[in-house]
Amino acid sequence: IPVECFDLVIFGGTGDLARRKILPGLFRRFLAGQMPENARVIGAARSEMEDADYRQMVREAVAEFGGTEKENGSQLDAFLERLHYVAIDATGDGGWDKLAGLMRDGVIRAFYFSVGPSLFGALAERLHQHGIADAASRIVVEKPFGHDLASAQELNATLAAHFDEHQIYRIDHYLGKETVQNLMAVRFGNVLFEPLWNSHYIDHIQITVAETVGVGGRGSYYDKSGAMRDMVQNHLMQLLCLIAMEPPSIYDADTVRDEKLKVIRALQPVEPHQIVRGQYDASSEGPSYREDAENPRSFTESFVAMKCHIANWRWAKVPFYLRTGKRMKARSSEIAVVFKDLGHTIFEGDTARHRNILSIRLQPNEGMDLQVTIKEPGPGGMRLVDVPLDMTFADALGADQEAPDAYERLIMDVIRGNQTLFMRGDEVEAAWAWTDPIIKGWEARNDVPKLYEVGSAGPDDALMLMHRDGRRWREIK
Ligand code: NAD
């Protein structure tokens, strides 16, 4: 279904994110017929270039990162026709009049701030000074949204000086994943799950986001950030919120976000013994974090594992185990809802510990399955086996179209004016209010991260975090 006509300006339109995600994503939406006839994309960045040069740059980016087999030359040409370029320095005065001249009346105006957060204030101010943004315009901002509570508050105040909250779209691309939305459909669209979704039936919940990449070229940025700020404060907490929130009364942006906010506010402080920081060390599979980050004395964590609790009626005494790390044995992100053991088995000789586990996989293969116990087929008597029940149903639904990737979906949501899958300012602040004391505690104690080998499942202490509770992490594969 095509969205309404729009002018989308990408500040930082020549940057890595624009070339890898935003522009190839827009091309895929174009191929899917979702971009209306007269919609336009305007790249804006510091370098001087003509429309033709910009189109050539995007052509190359689509060839490299397009990720679709359907593209063909003539469609790419038609897409590139929609692209324009304006040289603008966010902190200067050049280029703004040209941009103002390009913008059309009567179409949606969206501005993607794909630049560092230090430029958000300058961009917001100039958009207003030059009369380019109006009350119906939208701005999209990227992570990182601050590096602590104070800086996030400052950033929110800067944006609020020029835009209302309903105009601000804070991206967390994890929320744009198909499976994350399917999780809400499964939870709130079936009678089967919600009655079990509490401390009576759920033993614990695990969230793992394991990456195989290291800090690569981002070393100097990452070294000041670390896994807690880069992954936990945003992505893992967003997933935690969707799993743990109360059913919203309607599926609407503010109602959903109100419920997520309540989860963050109910998170208890994490004690030092409930959290493990790690840093990857050289192995036969690659160099150490310190070499990658070019900081031989770095104490920055590239891994975090923690146990947390949500202090409310539904989740009393149910632990949530979170872990994320770089340079781990496999690229794998999963939420696992592990239900309680049967109290009693009626099947003689069956000593296995059968458990229902709902597994929500975010990557590499998005999908959802429910582990159930059934009789092993055949004449062997009453022998039980655990099998996964596929809840993605791609075949049943005839999902011949490739699911749009997270960025594509989220950009289209911006044009539609749907903020459900974007973080609200108060959510981000609440998340920082919870993470700040953890990080400040490490700093005050000069905490030294535990080493783990490149290609492993993280430090041994992280395994112990669950073992001492008589539980174990799901395998990373
Ligand atoms: P980048 O350095 O590759 O690109 C930055 C872009 O901003 C370039 O187009 C540059 O010309 C432009 N720019 C810089 N200073 C400017 C100025 N004064 N005026 C106008 N334009 C200016 O950065 P990136 O990797 O594309 O990241 C952009 C933003 O997105 C950052 O906030 C980053 O944290 C965030 N982000 C990036 C990724 C990613 O995968 N690259 C992922 C998540 C978030």
Side-chain angles (χ1 to χ4, degrees), residues 12 14-17 20 45-46 88-90 114-116 119 142-144:
T14 59
D16 177 68
L17 183 69
R20 267 189 324 113
R46 261 185 312 191
I88 278 190
D89 184 343
S114 183
V115 295
L119 296 177
E142 268 296 336
K143 85 170 203 187

Side-chain angles (χ1 to χ4, degrees), residues 10-22 44-47 85 87-92 96 112-120 123 141-144 171 173 218 221 230 235 407:
I10 309 173
F11 292 107
T14 59
D16 177 68
L17 183 69
R19 283 182 295 115
R20 267 189 324 113
K21 292 287 181 188
I22 306 172
R46 261 185 312 191
S47 344
Y85 182 81
I88 278 190
D89 184 343
T91 55
W96 291 98
Y112 201 127
F113 290 7
S114 183
V115 295
S118 61
L119 296 177
F120 290 178
L123 288 176
V141 298
E142 268 296 336
K143 85 170 203 187
I171 286 232
H173 67 274
R218 295 169 68 221
Y221 158 75
D230 193 51
H235 307 314
Y407 274 94

Side-chain angles (χ1 to χ4, degrees), residues 230-288:
D230 193 51
M231 297 297 292
V232 178
Q233 185 274 343
N234 39 47
H235 307 314
L236 274 81
M237 287 193 65
Q238 287 296 318
L239 299 177
L240 174 80
C241 284
L242 294 177
I243 280 280
M245 70 182 180
E246 294 300 313
S249 56
I250 45 169
Y251 188 68
D252 144 274
D254 273 331
T255 316
V256 170
R257 297 186 298 177
D258 286 345
E259 295 304 338
K260 284 164 60 195
L261 180 62
K262 286 184 207 161
V263 173
I264 305 176
R265 289 193 172 147
L267 271 168
Q268 293 190 315
V270 176
E271 302 292 330
H273 69 274
Q274 294 174 318
I275 188 159
V276 176
R277 295 171 84 217
Q279 189 188 72
Y280 62 83
D281 197 10
S283 79
S284 57
E285 292 185 35
S288 68

